[in-house]
Amino acid sequence: MHARELLVRGEAVPDQMIARMLHIKMHSPEVAHHGYILDGFPLMDENLMKLRDQMETMKNWPLPPDYVINIRIPDNDLINRRQEEKIDPVTGTLYIKEQYAPTPVEKVTGKQQTGGDDDDVSDIDEDADNDDEEVEEEEQVTDEFFSPVPTEIVERLVMRPEDLMPDVTDSIQFFKDQLLRMLEEYMASLPQSYLVELDGNMSPTILFEQLLERLNAYALRRAALVQRFFPPEEEEEEIPQETNEMDNEEEEGEKAIRGDALRAEETPPADEMETEELMASLTGSNVLSNKYKWQRSRWLRLDPVALKQGNRIPGRQDLAVHFMDKIFVLSSKESLKEFQKNPRRYIIQPRAPCKLFLYGPRSSGIEQLAQDIGKKYNATVIDMVSYAQPKMDELRQQYIDTIKNEVQRATIDKLQLQADTEAAEKAQEATTSKTEDKIDEEPEPLTREDNETTTDPNDFEQTEKATNPDEDEQQPQTSAERSSPPPTERSSPPPAERSPPPTERSSPPPAERSSRPSSALSQPPAERSSRPSSARSPPPASTEVPREDLRGLGPEDEKTQVEPIGQITADHPEVKKAVEQAIEEARNAAVNIPADVYTELMCKAIQNIEQEQREKNPNGPLFGNWIFVNFPYDNEILTLLNEKNIHPDDVLVLQDSHPQLEALQKRWYKANRFEVDKEIREREEREANERRIRDEEQKRRMEEMKLIAEQERNERLAERQRKIDAGEPVDDEDETDEKEMEQAILEDRNYEPKKEDFIDKIPETIPEEDESMSKDLDKDKSSIASGLDLNRAPPSISPIPFDQEILPPAGIEQETFIQQARNDITRINDLMKTVSSVYNLEPIYIELMKEDGEKLKTNEELFQEAYDALEKQFKYIPLEHENNEEDVDEEEETGNEDEEGDNEEEEEEVVDLFKSDRKKHLGDTSIYDPVALFEKNILVPGKPDFTVSYKSKTYRFANEDNRSLFLQTPLKYLPIDKPPTLPAMRLVLVGPEGAGKSLHGRELAIKYNTFHIKFRDRLQELIIGKTKMKIGPEYNETRDEPDPEEEEQKADKPIDETEELTADEENIKAYLQDGEPLAPEILDKIVKPWWTEEPYRSRGIVLEGFPSTEDETVYMIDNQLLPDIAIQLDAENNDILKRILPKRMEQWRTKMQLRKEKRMKNKAKKDRDKKKATDERRAELILERDKRIEAGETVEEDEIEQILASEFQIDEEEGDIIQDEEDADTAKGRIGEMIEQQANDAKEKIEGVKKVFQQEYVPFAIVNASDKPRYVKNRISKKIERFTTLRQNVFERVYSIKSQLAQQLIDIGYLHYSKFGKFCPVSLHNGDCFPPPYGPDKTPCTVIYRKYVYYLADDEARNEFIKNPLFYIRRPPPKSLIPVKIAIVGPPKSGKTTVTKRIVQEMGCVRLSLGDGIRYILEKQRQTILGKEMQEILIKGNEISPEIAIRCLEVALMNAKCQTRGFILDGFPLTKKHVELLVEKGIIPFKLFELECDLTECTIRAMKDRTDPNRQFPLPDSPEAISYKNAIYQNEILPVRQWYTEEHKNWMNINAKNNKWFIWDKILQETSNVTKKIQNYIERKSFNKAASIADLCISPQELLNRLGEYEHYCPVSLTLRDELVDCSATTKTDYTAEYRGRYYRMAGPKELQLFLDDPERFAPVEPRKILPAQNRRPHRRTEAEAKAMFPKPIEFASYCPVTYLDGGKRYEYLVLGQQEFAVEYRDKLYFLLNEEAREKFMRQPEKYWNIRLPNKLPPPKNPIDLLNLPCLGYLEQTIATAIIKSLTATGCFKPKFPFLSIQTSALIYMAYHLKAYNTKSSDYIRRKFRRKLYIFEEQCELISYLAKKTTVRYKDPNKQPPDYNVKYETFFALRQNVPTLNWLT
């Protein structure tokens, strides 16, 4: 009986049924998707299952509870609620008193709340800190739950019996006794974040709101619902979400979708749209935002539920739904119902099982393709030949049995009739012999061995001919035929006409299969053999058997026919022979299976496969996974399959579109080459033999003709001779005939056979022949010429390797194959027409030949193409965009348009698409062309004009060609399981000379390990080998003008031909010198390798100086040699002059110096030549003068000098050159103008470069390079940051979105929470462990990245995340959310409230005090027992006790915000009573901060507050009140501080005099550190790892109770070093770890880390190192304890054993131990030298305890009186240390007092130091002289201060430091006030 029936009958549902229903529901698909909320479990009744078993069952559910909601309510309040509860007997609804009898709520004022006595509350809640807070009155919220109940309902309400006393108390007590403890244990085992506690006294509406607030803090995503695009019509009932699964408990929801009558009821609407039109209309329908539209699913219009079952059924548009972000179209209401239960099981699945029909002509490889597809899809290839063989054998056997019986009966009747006839006519011998003659003349039955024409089952044409005989040959059936017709059969697909070779096992193509005739195929042999004689007259009706039915009777059986007359039986030899012959013919006859039988066989085969598939995978598809090859081959079978609802998913056809079927010929010849060549050779040999026989016969006949002709000639000659002899006349004609005959005979005798007479042409196998073949042919020709052996075999047909694709040789074999293939193709085409009409499927055609039309596709290529074609319909199709602009709602963006550019410098921004298109959802390659990235490994920005949409993402391309390539094969250019591979960095630096390109390019190359390429330097390297100098305007100043003489000398020398420049080099030289453009061919050789060749391709480049013109930029664009970013270094001309001009001037000076030196050198040479010529001329003139003198002529004295002066005049050119030389100022001006002109020209050209780059969307940035290099470097780094340090994010896109829209998209499943939930990943990386405090005044900054929503704390964090998303998403996810639990205490006016407010603002937690808790109860829960009790106390004017105040605080802490964000106790706890109550309630703050502030500071702050203008009311903050409160605080806080310090060690003191920012940061830092430790503890415990318990508020008693087997000893030290390290000296848990519920203490941080890394090594289940027994452990003993042990002797004679053993047991290391460092071990007492030695002994007592004392001991040491020491010894033992410290301090300070010498200053400083640090003096004296020492040091520092601040020039006193005048006057005042003796005393 069902639960519903029980409830209708008024009976209770038994617990067993409830448990069963719960079990079914928990395992249902809707629970797996939607989740559950379980109430009322475990069951209170233990009859069916114990409570603990129910708890275990709950833990073992497929989906155990994630969160436990514990609603807490006091017992008294629950009892009152139960007693006042009533039920409506009509509806069964329960009502509480607040619903049916609400009481008006009076608004309580603050004075009423506090009872008018502020002093009472002030003792509990700190008034001084709360005085400045305004109490805001909360608005009273109207609760929908407490809406008025109609009067008619109130009048019929009654109480339930179980709500009466004492049943209420009994049920509550039973719950607490039986179930509560187990539930508490279960809740304690859960992490704190999974336990939600609510206050049951709140109204259900408020409870629900608080629950949602609590759950929203954990970023829980709602179950995504399946929503319909088109709401159901009014008459159509909406499919309910909740179904009655209990009606059929075993139903699992996997209902098969079959083509039955139920489905036929749902007909699709008449106005169904096409798939593309439907998808386009649904994409933008019912969207939350135009930017986030619905996307097409992988299945497009196919029903996903049907696909899960294995069927492909198109869906109906009225049943279109959207789930998450995808569109799904269902085909029926049942499918929609199943899909709504749990859509994930239908969308998270592989491709549906395949149901395929494969067709292909013979030798097309269709069988291998079927095997490959079946292996890929795990499908079964059904061989109908083998599968139908049993049925064929069965039909054949039936046919044979029928033939056997019919022939046996006919033969017996025939023989019996024959015997009777012979007996009757025995007397008539002549008649009998005639009858026998007639029998002998009767033709023998046509068998397969003679002339019978049988139907070849492998020949489709013969089958057609046999099954469709001519009408004139159709004969009426005999009686035997009519009585036993042949079986109506259909032949199975027979084997091929020729058996396929072993290399290819091909199934028969359709053309080879016999088609089904209109009547039965293959008639019985009796029927076929009777046709020739059926026209004869029939025998007598009763006795005579037709003679044609008598088989096997002939002349050879005459003896057996002559038998005595008797009864003929089946054992008669003739009967046996006839039967055997008929059976043999029946076996060889073709059996045709009817179409309906074949259809049944196919259905059975499919059912078997599907059944086997379901058994292997019960949860898998129900249908499909079968493949038929070349079957069905008949249109009627296709029609019958369609009637049985068996549809293939796809029909795939292999075809050869070549007119001559070259692909099929090549495949056929390649697979059967050996057999084909063998047949050709046999045929050629046979033809050659036939020709040889014909030739021999012809030669024989010719010989005979020759003999006859010779004989006739001889006769004619004889006749002629006779006539001549007889004198008879001879005719000339005879003579002519005779000559012709002689010539013919002569020709016959000289006849030689020709090659073509004996050997046929060698068939052409391939167009080209190799050398060996040609050599063989030549050899054959020579052999033929010399004399051919006609008996040898013909040459090899095809010596070509077998793996080559060649056409078969021409011949009958090729023609036969082509004809058969054409028949196959014709039949397949006819079938495809039927497939298209019957199944409404378009067959998939695959060509066998490649696109080039020359090569065949391999089997792998065919399979891949077939697989792609089959999967194409399930793959996303790229859509070409005409208008690429997307619709973006203004509401969905955050509107932060200028978030990235507010702080930019005054420079031109990078021009790219990253910012302009940041709202568009681009693909995996962002703005870059995926085709160029894949093929060239270059980042080429795509243009908005060339876009394609693929998977709802937009891809951009550089040109139309790339877009076309992407549209064809998008998956080729997109990464599948990893992000795209980034190419190496490529940067371009352009700018005028002197802008700093080389400097910054070199630094960038070094920093990023790339190549730095200077384009002009590279060009210089190419031609400098011939030019011998650098070319360019910048090198003009380094080149001097050539000397004419040197030019003449060079002209005289022969020109070396190797020094001539090529055309390319001339072009380069012209480019460098005059700026002429470079040819594209030169750029191809120089520039292109930097992008395409290694090592540049993998390491990247920094290219300097290219492109420099617009033409060069266009060249880069055309060849797609684009940089990641182009940087223009822009500098002012003045700055460029400052950088370049000095270098150019230095070059000019060097040039001028070289020119001067050359001129001086030339001048000296000319002077030498002139002097030499002058001397020679003077000698000549002297000789002439002497001759003239001798001749008596008069000669003037200066004649020679005049002549020389006239002949050798002074060279004026030198002076002119000196005058024409350019001076420095002129050169500076000229060079400066040239530099400015070059800079301006370069800037103009760069403008063209910039224009072209920006047109192609290449990022182009302009950097101000006029500043210092380090500033420019920082600017460049900032510009290229996205392509260098953040290069991994080049393809990443982050989209801003409003938080409200993001939440809506998350709720519907369109987007998802990230792994960080609502934590900020940037803040987590920065060290924060709390989620940002989002609220109405602080909305989160949300962004979308890869379908995930990330919550950022603020705009700055969002900008950081957008810059580098990959870095932040790779951070570990946040740990569990731990609410803040701290307390801040301190004296009045110490700043507690100020600090608390700031922390609340930062963390979003709740500030609570005792007053807040009391007010919370009075405002929210006045009707509760606690609220009424407090009202009574306040009305009476009594003080609220601490117990009630703590109860109020406990209820207030159940607020949702307190449980999620935490709380801060402000000014609480203050007394030991408070501490005890808090511990009793389990309220333990993680950290308590005490703000220390003295009374003076508190009083000063109170006085300042009294003058605050914002103060409205007077407060008790007078100095007396502050002093009184401070005294109370100091008295009460001491035990509180002591308790928390000793028990939980969570007390921390902070100096409140520090500035408030320091205090805030300190508290936040400590709180964060404690929270991180708790998070680490919870995380490690969840993974069963060891965890540190530092700062977890573990009490000493708990630590002692849970100590492990090593107690207080360190297990790491014991395991690694065998040391006993006792950690019991302190109760701190800084180095304590928990493992397996036990505590282990460590010696230090290193040991703790080792234990945490491998706890199993140091604390295994079975310890490797066992702790010694208690009596074998060392124990420390104090000096008093050691004295108390007297007279126990001291071991080792009071010497220290540690010092002695560690010193190598040497004599000098025998040192007496000290009594205060005593150790007891093994009941023996040892004295150690110091604490270090005692620690060593405690760690390794076994090492030191049993050392043998040496025989020789040092003498005892007796004390010596200091007064008896000499002076130096006395000083050394008394004041030496003090003097050394004083001297050291003097040397470090180096005192120099104003107006005193250095020596005097040093002595005074030493005196002060000795007085200040004299240990024998009193504290007052020491403090006094320390003060004097400090003043002396300040006065000494006046000299250095004034020397530093005093300037030579006058300085305005207002500009001097404030204390300058004071120190200046003090300095001069010390002249009269130097230290004296009084100073020292």
Side-chain angles (χ1 to χ4, degrees), residues 702-872:
M702 290 178 64
E703 290 294 335
E704 292 177 356
M705 291 174 62
K706 288 180 182 179
L707 292 177
I708 295 173
E710 184 69 23
Q711 185 177 359
E712 292 178 354
R713 175 177 175 279
N714 292 335
E715 291 177 355
R716 284 196 301 271
L717 290 175
E719 180 66 24
R720 186 172 182 278
Q721 188 63 35
R722 185 186 60 79
K723 288 182 178 182
I724 294 173
D725 295 341
E728 296 179 2
V730 180
D731 298 333
D732 295 336
E733 294 179 1
D734 296 337
E735 187 177 356
T736 302
D737 295 337
E738 184 179 355
K739 290 181 179 180
E740 291 178 356
M741 186 175 295
E742 289 179 359
Q743 184 66 28
I745 292 173
L746 183 61
E747 291 178 358
D748 291 339
R749 289 176 179 175
N750 296 332
Y751 169 76
E752 291 291 343
K754 298 180 180 179
K755 173 184 175 182
E756 54 270 15
D757 294 334
F758 298 95
I759 298 180
D760 194 7
K761 274 188 175 182
I762 297 177
E764 297 179 1
T765 56
I766 57 173
E768 299 178 359
E769 299 175 347
D770 55 8
E771 296 179 0
S772 61
M773 187 174 180
S774 60
K775 291 180 180 178
D776 294 341
L777 292 178
D778 295 339
K779 185 176 180 181
D780 294 339
K781 292 179 181 179
S782 61
S783 62
I784 292 172
S786 59
L788 183 66
D789 184 8
L790 300 178
N791 295 323
R792 72 175 182 86
S796 176
I797 297 300
S798 179
I800 307 302
F802 276 74
D803 57 349
Q804 292 189 10
E805 300 173 356
I806 58 175
L807 289 173
I812 188 173
E813 294 82 7
Q814 179 192 33
E815 296 174 356
T816 303
F817 172 77
I818 292 175
Q819 184 61 34
Q820 294 173 350
R822 292 190 187 279
N823 295 337
D824 296 344
I825 293 173
T826 302
R827 187 57 183 269
I828 290 173
N829 292 337
D830 295 339
L831 288 173
M832 291 307 102
K833 294 178 182 178
T834 306
V835 167
S836 300
S837 61
V838 173
Y839 295 121
N840 196 20
L841 282 178
E842 288 299 328
I844 300 173
Y845 292 94
I846 297 179
E847 285 289 339
L848 295 172
M849 192 76 77
K850 292 184 178 179
E851 295 181 358
D852 55 9
E854 296 180 359
K855 295 184 179 180
L856 291 174
K857 295 178 182 176
T858 62
N859 292 335
E860 292 77 11
E861 293 173 344
L862 289 175
F863 165 72
Q864 187 61 41
E865 186 174 351
Y867 177 74
D868 293 340
L870 294 175
E871 291 291 329
K872 183 178 180 180

Side-chain angles (χ1 to χ4, degrees), residues 1196-1224:
E1196 297 180 2
E1197 294 181 0
D1198 57 348
E1199 181 182 0
I1200 295 177
E1201 296 300 329
Q1202 293 177 1
I1203 294 174
L1204 292 175
S1206 61
E1207 291 182 359
F1208 298 96
Q1209 297 179 358
I1210 298 176
D1211 192 1
E1212 297 180 357
E1213 294 180 359
E1214 183 177 353
D1216 298 338
I1217 292 175
I1218 294 174
Q1219 276 188 342
D1220 295 341
E1221 278 189 354
E1222 188 178 33
D1223 57 358

